[in-house]
């Protein structure tokens, strides 16, 4: 890596780098000594003599000369030359040499140093172990110089690298100083292994044991204790790195030994921990015996091929196998015999032993079962969290199901639902009992039962869909028939009899959901005009008498029926229609006009729903489009609650969405139209279209055009336009997101500046004025970003401005002198654009 590249690489040019530049320090490491000095009682301020070992480029010397009292003696030495600096004596020398020692003595004369600093780092690049060792040696050398030159109670600050020598060095320091503390100043990068040790209170012993400063003695290697192979074998997953290198003579990375040696050894664990493989000699007679053992299977042979990849279970298995092999070969015979000879058990003791064995077994099996259950539960919960289960499936029952029951592919394959499983359509859960019976008998029944029990959402949805399809089909068929009959004049033998008691009683019957439609077929056709109105009136009567099924009465609890039931007058309207059926609408006195309009539109929808498809309706009333169905399906706890919910829903969903509907609402509100007009308009030439035997596509297409053209007013159109504009004015998701992002960025920027300002504020090296200036500079940067670009005024260099140097008269702010050609060009462009615009018009 080149020098520049290194400097610019990520993270190197941090804030300390810039701060050092700003302050005029030669290196960012100056802040390390500043921070150490601050943390350890400002020792530099009290030092009159300071020696800086390994000082180049000299930033620590700079700090010392700044902080130490005036006229202090500061000496800096380094193996590389250093640029001279005021108030500091510098010289070039290797601190490990006698030359350095004597030159230092020459500069020191009779003085003693209050502080010795050492930030030495050997020229790195020799490899980690080598670097660390030289560093430790350099430190010890620095300590040697410090011991020679320090005053009693003096301070020694040194850098150490985290290595195996660390503790040894600390121990040496502790012998020579009162207080030894390790620290890592914030300016020292986390990625660096360097640590600084501050040794205070030099003891200045009169007699010094030379071994204390002898690298050979200090860093002497002690033989390693026995390794814990047991831990290695029983916890093979925890790999301990060999930071210390390899054992002596252990030069091979791949070690093998004959398998028979493993069987015979008294320390099998160590072998398992050290070796990579066991060699098998097929000609070995003992091996031939062992090989005949049942346990000498393929798995074992595979395991002994690569011991380093084995887990705890595998090692256990190998050790069990070894024991059996030893038994077979009679290697453990003596021990066994000894054991037998010692204590022959009495009958009672034998029974006791067996009993306790049985109890132990039972306890273990219980424990195993419990663990299995817990695992199953855990799995279920995980599946639940991943939306793979419904809440009903978890819990005790799920836990009881047993582990293998969760997902039994074998059974799935046999029963043929594997495909579905693969597609994610089915989920299988079998219990233990069924697994015990497993596979051969009643498998189909079992699956059918499973399907019933664990019918998942897909099934339910599919069922709902098909039910709804049926409903729609029946509805359209009935409508078509009904209309055809109406068109033919119909036969009026049958009178509407309402819901018979039997049906009403079948509240929970699914069919009752469609009672509204069933009634259609029971209508008497005595009068075409009266048919639908009669239907409504009868329903209302029924509702008021409360003879309906629960679901039906919930349906009629919809607010649109409320007033109708309440104000039923027994009069005929102008058309001769029984007012019980339609006149009720005209007699209504709603609370507000707008409400009235809306309700009438709703009512018209209800009236015409049997006569024409709801899609054909001229009024796109959002309210209650699907509410009928929803209401029937909904399952409220109480009727009141259902009613309340319906009311709320009705209010929320009521919306006039088309110009036609708005016109009608206006007309109703202003009294231009009455409710009976509305009802009458509901019956027009399109009302009873004969669609019998017509293809569905034709009916659908016709429906778009076979409808009455309702007049619309300008006011209504304006009202709808206004409404749409209000809707459009709401910010779209993307805009809102962009705004939020912008805000987030601004906040992040502000946070960053706050942090920077905090740092500046904490910097004890800076004067208050400096701090204030820096912070205001930071703030300016932010405001600059937010400011819009200043407008530049173009000034044409023509007329009085021709050849003008300096600001033209009457021009404020930024300006730019341009020649006349540009002016003409711009004018031409404007002209052309204008022409185009006119042509387009
Ligand atoms: N504290 C210094 C500063 O702030 O400017 C930076 C010191 S720098 C990290 C380490 C220095 O140790 C290098 O300049 C290197 O030349 C010096 N060094 C390494 N081995 C040395 C030795 N045997 N004798 C003298 N200086 C040595």
């Amino acid at each position: 890596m080149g020098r520049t590249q290194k400097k610019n690489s990520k993270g190197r040019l941090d804030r300390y780098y810039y701060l050092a530049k700003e302050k005029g320090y030669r290196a960012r490491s100056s802040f390390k000594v500043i921070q150490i000095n601050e943390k350890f009682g400002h020792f530099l301020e009290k030092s009159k003599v300071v020696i800086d070992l390994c000082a180049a480029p000299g930033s620590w010397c700079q700090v010392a000369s700044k902080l130490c009292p005036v006229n202090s003696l500061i000496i800096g030495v380094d193996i590389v030359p250093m640029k001279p600096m005021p108030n500091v004596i510098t010289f070039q020398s290797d601190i490990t040499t006698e030359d350095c020692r004597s030159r230092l003595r020459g500069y020191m004369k009779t003085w003693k140093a209050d502080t010795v600093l050492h930030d030495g780092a050997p020229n790195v690049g020799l490899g980690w172990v080598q670097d660390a060792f030289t560093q430790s040696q350099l430190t010890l050398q620095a300590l040697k110089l410090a011991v020679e030159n320090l005053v009693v109670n003096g301070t020694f600050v040194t850098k150490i690298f985290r290595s195996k020598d660390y503790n040894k060095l600390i121990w040496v320091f502790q012998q020579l100083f009162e207080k030894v503390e390790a620290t890592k100043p914030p300016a020292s990068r986390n990625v660096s292994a360097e640590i600084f040790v501050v040794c205070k209170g030099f003891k200045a012993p009169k007699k010094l044991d030379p071994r204390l400063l002898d690298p050979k003695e200090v860093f002497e290697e002690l033989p390693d204790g026995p390794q814990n192979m047991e831990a290695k074998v029983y916890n093979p997953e925890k790999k301990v790195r060999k930071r210390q290198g390899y054992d002596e003579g252990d030069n091979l990375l791949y070690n093998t030994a004959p398998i028979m040696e493993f069987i015979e050894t008294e320390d099998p664990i160590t072998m398992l921990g050290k070796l990579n493989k066991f060699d098998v000699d097929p000609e070995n007679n003992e091996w031939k015996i062992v090989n005949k053992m049942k346990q000498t299977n393929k798995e074992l042979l595979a395991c002994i091929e690569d011991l380093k990849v084995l887990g705890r279970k595998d090692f256990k298995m190998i050790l069990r196998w070894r024991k059996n092999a030893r038994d077979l070969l009679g290697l453990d015979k003596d021990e066994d015999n000894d054991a037998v000879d010692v204590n022959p058990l009495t009958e009672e003791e034998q029974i006791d032993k067996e009993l306790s064995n049985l109890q132990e077994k039972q306890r273990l099996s219980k424990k195993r079962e419990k663990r299995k259950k817990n695992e199953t539960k855990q799995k279920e919960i995980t599946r639940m969290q991943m939306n793979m289960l419904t809440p009903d499936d978890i819990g005790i029952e799920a836990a009881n199901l047993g582990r293998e029951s969760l997902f039994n592919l074998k059974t799935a394959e046999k029963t043929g639902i594997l495909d579905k499983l693969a597609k994610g359509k089915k989920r299988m859960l079998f219990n233990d009992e069924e697994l015990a019976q497993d596979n051969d008998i009643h498998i189909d029944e079992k699956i059918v039962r499973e399907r019933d029990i664990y019918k998942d959402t897909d099934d339910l949805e599919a069922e709902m869909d098909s039910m709804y399809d049926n409903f729609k089909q029946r509805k359209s068929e009935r409508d078509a028939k009904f209309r055809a009959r109406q068109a033919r004049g119909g036969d009026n033998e049958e009178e509407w009899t309402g819901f018979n008691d039997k049906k009403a009683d079948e509240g929970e019957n699914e069919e009752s959901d469609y009672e509204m439609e069933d009634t259609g077929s029971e209508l008497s056709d005595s009068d075409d005009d009266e048919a639908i109105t009669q239907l409504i009136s009868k329903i209302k009567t029924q509702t008021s008498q409360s003879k309906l099924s629960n679901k039906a009465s919930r349906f009629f609890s919809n607010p649109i029926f409320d007033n109708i039931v309440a104000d039923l007058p027994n009069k005929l309207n102008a058309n001769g229609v029984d007012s019980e059926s339609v006149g009720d609408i005209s007699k209504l006195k709603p609370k507000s006009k707008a409400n009235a309009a809306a309700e009438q539109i709703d009512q018209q929808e209800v009236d015409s729903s049997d006569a024409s498809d709801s899609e054909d309706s001229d009024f796109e009333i959002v309210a209650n489009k699907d509410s009928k169905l929803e209401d029937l399906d909904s399952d409220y706890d109480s009727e009141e609650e259902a009613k309340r919910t319906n009311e709320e829903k009705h209010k929320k969903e009521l919306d006039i969405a088309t110009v036609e509907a708005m016109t009608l609402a206006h007309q109703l509100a202003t009294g231009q139209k009455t409710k009976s007009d509305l009802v009458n308009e509901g019956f027009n030439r399109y009302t009873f279209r004969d669609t019998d035997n017509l293809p569905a596509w034709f009916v659908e297409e016709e429906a778009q055009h076979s409808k009455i053209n309702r007049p619309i007013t300008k006011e209504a159109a304006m009202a709808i336009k206004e409404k749409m504009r209000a809707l459009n004015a709401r910010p779209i998701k993307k805009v809102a997101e962009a705004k939020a992002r912008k805000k987030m960025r601004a906040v992040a920027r502000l946070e960053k500046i706050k942090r920077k300002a905090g740092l500046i504020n904490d910097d004890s090296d800076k004067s208050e004025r400096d701090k204030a200036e820096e912070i205001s500079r930071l703030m300016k940067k932010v405001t600059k970003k937010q400011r819009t670009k200043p407008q530049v005024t173009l000034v044409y260099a023509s007329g009085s401005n021709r050849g003008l140097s300096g600001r033209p008269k009457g021009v404020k702010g930024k300006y730019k002198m341009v020649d006349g050609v540009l002016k003409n060009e711009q004018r031409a462009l404007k002209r052309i654009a204008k022409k185009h615009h006119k042509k387009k018009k």
Side-chain angles (χ1 to χ4, degrees), residues 26-33 52-63 77-82 85 91-97 100 117-123 134-135 138 141 159 194 196:
R26 294 183 180 183
R28 66 183 287 292
S29 59
S30 53
F31 291 99
K32 295 177 193 169
V33 78
D52 184 6
L53 304 170
C54 306
S59 71
W60 281 30
C61 288
Q62 282 180 304
V63 174
V77 52
D78 199 286
I79 201 165
V80 295
M82 244 183 304
M85 61 194 101
F91 65 94
Q92 184 182 356
S93 185
D94 182 344
I95 64 160
T96 60
T97 58
C100 174
L117 304 172
H118 171 243
D119 185 26
N123 291 331
T134 352
Q135 173 70 34
L138 203 64
Q141 199 59 42
K159 174 157 84 181
E194 71 181 14
F196 290 85

Side-chain angles (χ1 to χ4, degrees), residues 290 292-298 300 317 320-321 324:
V290 174
K292 285 211 173 90
M293 271 167 48
K294 201 174 70 187
Q295 290 96 328
T296 317
N297 51 20
K298 269 186 188 172
L300 181 108
M317 187 259 288
R320 265 200 308 271
W321 171 84
N324 290 336

Side-chain angles (χ1 to χ4, degrees), residues 232-251:
K232 215 170 161 185
V233 169
Y234 286 112
N235 284 312
E237 288 80 11
K238 285 181 191 165
K239 282 190 180 137
V240 185
R241 286 190 191 160
K242 285 204 162 199
R243 293 191 198 280
Q244 326 289 332
Y246 293 89
D247 298 343
E248 237 179 39
D250 181 13
N251 301 323

Side-chain angles (χ1 to χ4, degrees), residues 348-410:
E348 214 168 290
E349 278 173 337
Q350 190 81 30
I351 292 167
D352 274 354
K353 199 184 166 191
E354 269 174 29
L355 208 66
S356 65
N357 276 351
L358 273 173
Q359 275 173 345
E360 180 63 14
K361 258 188 194 173
Q362 208 175 351
R363 193 185 63 82
L364 284 176
S365 78
K366 262 187 188 171
K367 203 176 160 189
R368 218 173 303 135
E369 224 168 80
K370 203 176 166 189
R371 205 187 63 226
K372 270 185 190 175
K373 271 183 190 175
N374 279 342
E375 272 174 22
T376 319
K377 253 188 216 171
Q378 195 58 43
K379 272 187 189 171
E380 293 286 3
I381 289 166
T382 318
R383 283 155 65 90
M384 174 78 177
Q385 281 163 350
M386 292 165 76
N387 290 331
M388 288 163 77
L389 271 182
T390 61
D392 298 343
D393 294 333
I394 56 163
I396 298 152
E397 292 129 334
N400 283 338
L401 288 171
R403 210 153 61 146
E404 44 309 41
S405 63
L406 269 173
F407 201 84
N408 192 331
L409 276 181
K410 214 172 149 193

Side-chain angles (χ1 to χ4, degrees), residues 198-258:
V198 182
C199 312
K200 290 187 99 178
F202 179 52
K203 291 175 186 169
K206 281 191 182 129
K207 253 190 160 187
L208 192 74
D209 187 344
R211 283 181 301 174
L212 264 186
L213 301 171
D214 183 358
K216 271 186 206 150
E217 293 284 340
V218 175
F219 305 126
E220 189 196 15
E221 291 291 320
L222 295 171
D224 281 344
Q227 283 186 33
N228 186 1
M229 285 299 174
E230 220 157 306
K232 215 170 161 185
V233 169
Y234 286 112
N235 284 312
E237 288 80 11
K238 285 181 191 165
K239 282 190 180 137
V240 185
R241 286 190 191 160
K242 285 204 162 199
R243 293 191 198 280
Q244 326 289 332
Y246 293 89
D247 298 343
E248 237 179 39
D250 181 13
N251 301 323
L252 291 176
L253 287 175
Y254 195 78
N255 298 305
T256 62

